Amino acid sequence: GSRYAAPEVRAGAPWSEASDVFALGMLLYQLLTGHTPFHSFAPKGAPAAIRKGCPTDLVTALHSALELDPEKRGSIATVLWYLDL
């Protein structure tokens, strides 16, 4: 859905691996916390601050996946590595 769309997709760019990674990050964050990580794409806070005991690697994976700049966003391989999958 559009609520999981990366900023560049919302701006009219086609879906890509980077935007898919962003969508995955949005979904994982919501599953973990019960909230979306952004309100108008302003960060709401780190998952560890919202969910006590959140593993550091999961926080790192989420930050990598939810990077607003697609050039700086982690690849799916990076996210999966942090998730140890």
Side-chain angles (χ1 to χ4, degrees), residues 21-78:
V21 168
F22 186 88
L24 174 63
M26 292 283 284
L27 180 62
L28 288 174
Y29 189 101
Q30 190 167 16
L31 288 170
L32 178 67
T33 67
H35 307 285
T36 56
F38 301 100
H39 176 71
S40 300
F41 288 98
K44 274 189 168 178
I50 296 169
R51 183 87 179 215
K52 193 172 186 168
C54 185
T56 304
D57 283 349
L58 178 54
V59 173
T60 303
L62 288 170
H63 282 282
S64 179
L66 294 172
E67 170 60 52
L68 295 178
D69 181 344
E71 296 296 320
K72 295 179 183 176
R73 194 174 301 141
S75 68
I76 191 65
T78 301

